[in-house]
Amino acid sequence: MAVAGKNGKVVIGTESDQKVVGIKNWSLELSLDTLETTSLGDDWKNYITGLKEWSASSEGDYEVPVDEKGQAALQEAFLSGATVTVKLFVDEKNYYTGEAYINSLSIEDPVDDVVSISIECTGTGALSFELGE
């Protein structure tokens, strides 16, 4: 079953209603280290799994002055080096969640378009998926 992206959202904090205003898209990347264990004489490479990591990014319209619990809170977390709880909703009920550091915050102010914001975060610890009911 396909899912329409229009119902996604980015939320910070522990409450699901602290939506980050103005976000137009988000992206999540999960990765797993694979460690080679191939021995001399093997014809095929062998691997074991190592550490997992995750990162996320989002982009949208700049709303820092009016979105105190969303964009302004993310900017403050970046400036102070604090972690935030991030929830990336795929639809109204299903989401990925984890603690993250805001490692990049970019604001673009073009003369011929709206001011935009890009936010990147790096997860610290496990990421989980919450299946809504």
Side-chain angles (χ1 to χ4, degrees), residues 57-115:
S57 62
S58 60
E59 299 174 332
D61 296 334
Y62 178 80
E63 301 281 354
V64 171
V66 295
D67 187 19
E68 293 178 14
K69 292 184 177 182
Q71 288 188 19
L74 290 170
Q75 179 174 275
E76 181 55 34
F78 171 78
L79 294 171
S80 68
T83 61
V84 293
T85 300
V86 176
K87 293 182 180 180
L88 303 168
F89 280 78
V90 177
D91 55 26
E92 295 92 350
K93 298 178 181 179
N94 303 299
Y95 62 92
Y96 296 89
T97 184
E99 288 290 311
Y101 286 99
I102 308 303
N103 62 304
S104 175
L105 193 142
S106 176
I107 299 164
E108 185 176 348
D109 191 352
V111 70
D112 60 346
D113 204 353
V114 298
V115 178

Side-chain angles (χ1 to χ4, degrees), residues 5-34:
K6 67 179 185 163
N7 295 318
K9 63 183 174 181
V10 176
V11 170
I12 62 165
T14 55
E15 301 299 322
S16 62
D17 61 348
Q18 293 176 328
K19 177 182 173 183
V20 180
V21 175
I23 297 301
K24 294 184 175 181
N25 65 69
W26 62 260
S27 173
L28 174 64
E29 180 163 338
L30 306 165
S31 62
L32 170 69
D33 292 339
T34 52

